[in-house]
Amino acid sequence: MKHTFSACCCAILISISAQAQKGASHFEIDTRTPLQTMDGFGASDAWSMQHIGLWPDSVRLQTADWLFSTENDSKGQPLGIGLSIWRFNIGAGSHDQGRESGIGSHRMRTGCFLRPDGTYDWTQQPGQRNFLRMAQERGVRTFIGFFNSPPVYFTQNGLATNTGRGGTLNLKTEHYGDFALFAANVVKGLEQHDGIKLSYVCPVNEPDGHWNWVGPKQEGTPATNREIAGLARAFSQAFTRKGLDTKILINESSDYRCMFATHMTDWQRGYAIQSFFCPDSTDTYLGDTPNVPRLMAGHSYWTNTPLEALRSIRMQLKDTLDKYNVQFWQTETCIMGNDEEIGGGGGYDRTMKTALYVARIIHHDIVYAGARSWQWWRAVGGDYKDGLLREFSNREGTDGHVVDSKLLWALGNYSRFVRPGATRMGITATDKTGRAVTEGDTDRTGLMCTAYRNADGSWVMVVVNYATEEKSMTFHVDDRKVKSWQPYLTAEGAGKNLQPIGKVGNGKQTVIPARSIVTFVSR
């Protein structure tokens, strides 16, 4: 049946169009309003890189190029997203335990550099170490080593999971020093054998996550704030004795709300910022501990919906961080069951639906939480929305192939162009009449804009258009060296992955396509 629009329908469409045009349309980059310094964008190697790192060269090299390359093809299109941070999962030894580890999937078990007799085996985790080297070859300089569990030889239940235990650290009291020495030896060993310097080490991962208490089907342990503080001090002493300047990063909270309050836990695991960086917290204060920076790491899981919470939770986090003069890194997230707007975490999605949803999270973490770094969970995953790339392998995991996604390239709009040391700059947004629009740089269903100045003096403007219609806008920076901007487009369709398109004059009108991300780089 052929459908026709009535006059009433036309009126509704005109009304909707008029409403869509309201709000900010011009964005002035405030050259006198520097905000946070950006330390980089990254992802982790868990767990896929332990087998992909041993696949044929053609697959390994393509995967590494997608993740780390800062080169362009002959048409000027980026070959990769230029991640500048890489998280290395330091194994606890569940691999050798096989099914007795309590971890059902052999792909989620890890080896351990430490052997039962106290010696070290530097042939362990070879696939992951291949990717460490390939990342470094492509320009990555910040490497983070993170622990899901202490080595199984030191844990209270002899496992790398928390099976059969409560909500305390799965580490025998007499082995705090041994765990710290192991971490120090791993830092030295990777530098000696692979030429890789771990800039940071995280002793715990999601210690306040209630999932950790019941023994998950992966490596992990809970911990109280007092246990984390004791562990950080032990690490500090071991690193000092070994002459290491590697920083100790805490505490990778599973939910932002555990960082400034309590959420699905109690005071022993909540109020992490106050516990570690308020001098009044004498039992847990780490502000004067060598090798521990005034920097908190947290994960943005479960805080991305509803939309008002996306903003308000991050503002509460920023308020607490500022009160105690603490910097912030978002070090891990992916799509979870409560992200209902895009269907939850199940089933991999290569389209802009997930890509735009994540871009909105990145924007809010940077603007409202003040994140200096933003890191995705897994670089490569399976049939779940937890990988920048999607792997397809045989049952044994010994061979396969990898495909890219719009999510990968969405992150690339930030990681490829906003380089370590860049300064985020404020933006003044105005409407078509020239009136200022409060928080006009953040329309959660329309345009979301952030601006940066790289250490080399180049300017970057990242614009996310969440709307289903294109948006006209102008933006400008008062810098005589900037004559024009080179846009890079990520949108639905083949080839639209950081695709360079026609240049735009400084202050001239441009159109942001519907459901797209465009990054402008000054020329």
Side-chain angles (χ1 to χ4, degrees):
M1 177 184 294
K2 184 177 181 180
H3 294 273
T4 59
F5 288 103
S6 66
C8 178
C9 291
C10 289
I12 292 173
L13 288 174
I14 291 171
S15 175
I16 293 173
S17 177
Q19 292 176 13
Q21 291 301 316
K22 291 182 180 179
S25 60
H26 176 73
F27 304 88
E28 186 73 23
I29 300 174
D30 297 334
T31 59
R32 298 182 181 180
T33 312
L35 301 169
Q36 74 264 38
T37 299
M38 303 304 297
D39 296 320
F41 296 82
S44 84
D45 67 358
W47 292 276
S48 298
M49 295 313 182
Q50 62 184 329
H51 52 267
I52 295 176
L54 302 177
W55 285 1
D57 286 351
S58 59
V59 179
R60 291 191 300 109
L61 295 175
Q62 176 62 86
T63 301
D65 283 344
W66 273 333
L67 293 170
F68 309 120
S69 178
T70 57
E71 300 295 320
N72 299 328
D73 67 14
S74 59
K75 297 180 180 179
Q77 184 155 343
L79 297 174
I81 67 169
L83 294 179
S84 51
I85 296 176
W86 189 238
R87 295 177 75 223
F88 174 73
N89 181 17
I90 303 174
S94 56
H95 177 269
D96 288 350
Q97 295 179 321
R99 291 190 175 276
E100 297 300 316
S101 67
I103 300 173
S105 172
H106 67 91
R107 300 189 190 195
M108 297 170 71
R109 304 172 194 149
T110 66
C112 185
F113 294 116
L114 183 64
R115 309 313 300 157
D117 62 2
T119 62
Y120 282 78
D121 178 2
W122 296 109
T123 67
Q124 292 290 313
Q125 301 185 252
Q128 292 173 253
R129 292 163 69 188
N130 280 341
F131 267 91
L132 283 174
R133 291 187 290 268
M134 287 190 289
Q136 183 167 262
E137 289 167 0
R138 288 160 178 78
V140 176
R141 293 296 177 264
T142 301
F143 295 94
I144 303 171
F146 72 101
F147 292 96
N148 284 315
S149 167
V152 294
Y153 320 115
F154 304 149
T155 61
Q156 293 190 26
N157 62 2
L159 302 173
T161 78
N162 202 48
T163 302
R165 301 189 65 258
T168 59
L169 181 63
N170 190 13
L171 176 67
K172 293 179 180 178
T173 303
E174 65 268 26
H175 286 312
Y176 273 66
D178 294 325
F179 183 20
L181 178 60
F182 168 70
N185 286 336
V186 169
V187 172
K188 292 183 72 70
L190 288 175
E191 187 165 16
Q192 178 181 349
H193 295 278
D194 298 288
I196 301 296
K197 171 68 180 295
L198 294 182
S199 302
Y200 298 84
V201 167
C202 307
V204 292
N205 188 62
E206 300 193 345
D208 43 35
H210 61 284
W211 63 271
N212 249 332
W213 303 4
V214 294
K217 299 303 180 183
Q218 63 188 64
E219 294 186 349
T221 177
T224 67
N225 291 341
R226 288 187 178 184
E227 290 169 329
I228 295 167
L231 198 55
R233 291 166 184 151
F235 272 50
S236 174
Q237 292 171 4
F239 286 14
T240 300
R241 287 197 301 268
K242 291 282 188 178
L244 301 176
D245 61 1
T246 296
K247 304 301 182 185
I248 300 159
L249 186 61
I250 54 170
N251 70 327
E252 304 235 41
S253 288
S254 62
D255 189 301
Y256 289 165
R257 288 164 287 192
C258 296
M259 298 177 70
F260 59 83
T262 60
H263 178 70
M264 300 184 74
T265 182
D266 59 23
W267 64 270
Q268 298 180 86
R269 302 168 188 81
Y271 301 103
I273 298 169
Q274 299 93 318
S275 295
F276 300 127
F277 293 107
C278 174
D280 293 338
S281 302
T282 54
D283 289 341
T284 55
Y285 183 63
L286 296 173
D288 55 4
T289 305
N291 293 65
V292 178
R294 294 190 75 86
L295 172 66
M296 286 288 294
H299 302 169
S300 71
Y301 297 115
W302 309 110
T303 65
N304 308 316
T305 187
L307 281 180
E308 183 50 41
L310 180 65
R311 174 181 178 275
S312 63
I313 290 174
R314 284 155 179 78
M315 291 185 71
Q316 292 177 76
L317 172 60
K318 181 70 160 57
D319 285 346
T320 308
L321 289 163
D322 288 348
K323 180 178 180 180
Y324 295 100
N325 190 30
V326 178
Q327 304 297 323
F328 169 60
W329 280 8
Q330 194 292 122
T331 52
E332 187 181 309
T333 196
C334 71
I335 304 304
M336 305 297 274
N338 72 326
D339 295 308
E340 297 176 354
E341 182 179 332
I342 57 171
Y348 195 73
D349 175 29
R350 297 182 67 192
T351 74
M352 287 299 294
K353 180 172 67 173
T354 297
L356 283 165
Y357 189 84
V358 172
R360 185 167 66 186
I361 296 170
I362 298 172
H363 176 90
H364 279 74
D365 280 332
I366 291 174
V367 171
Y368 290 103
R372 294 170 59 108
S373 175
W374 200 93
Q375 301 162 38
W376 183 250
W377 168 215
R378 293 218 282 167
V380 186
D383 193 20
Y384 193 87
K385 298 182 184 74
D386 68 344
L388 297 174
L389 300 165
R390 166 77 156 97
E391 66 163 291
F392 296 86
S393 67
N394 59 23
R395 179 174 296 183
E396 296 75 23
T398 57
D399 200 359
H401 68 281
V402 175
V403 299
D404 66 341
S405 70
K406 294 298 180 181
L407 171 60
L408 172 84
W409 299 105
L411 176 54
N413 278 268
Y414 295 90
S415 59
R416 178 64 179 80
F417 305 108
V418 182
R419 303 306 297 168
T423 301
R424 184 170 79 89
M425 309 299 290
I427 292 176
T428 298
T430 53
D431 63 16
K432 290 185 176 180
T433 69
R435 291 180 297 186
V437 179
T438 303
E439 295 187 67
D441 57 353
T442 304
D443 179 350
R444 295 189 293 264
T445 60
L447 295 180
M448 290 167 275
C449 310
T450 50
Y452 312 84
R453 188 175 191 182
N454 280 312
D456 65 3
S458 64
W459 293 89
V460 177
M461 181 83 158
V462 183
V463 183
V464 179
N465 184 6
Y466 211 86
T468 55
E469 68 276 352
E470 65 182 27
K471 298 282 187 177
S472 296
M473 63 173 285
T474 57
F475 68 96
H476 175 265
V477 63
D478 186 14
D479 185 336
R480 288 178 296 177
K481 295 180 181 179
V482 178
K483 304 301 181 184
S484 64
W485 300 80
Q486 174 61 64
Y488 294 85
L489 168 69
T490 298
E492 210 66 77
K496 296 179 180 179
N497 303 322
L498 301 183
Q499 178 186 27
I501 53 180
K503 293 182 180 179
V504 177
N506 192 21
K508 302 298 183 181
Q509 187 174 68
T510 186
V511 174
I512 309 300
R515 305 288 289 168
S516 74
I517 309 169
V518 182
T519 295
F520 298 86
V521 181
S522 66
R523 290 290 183 257

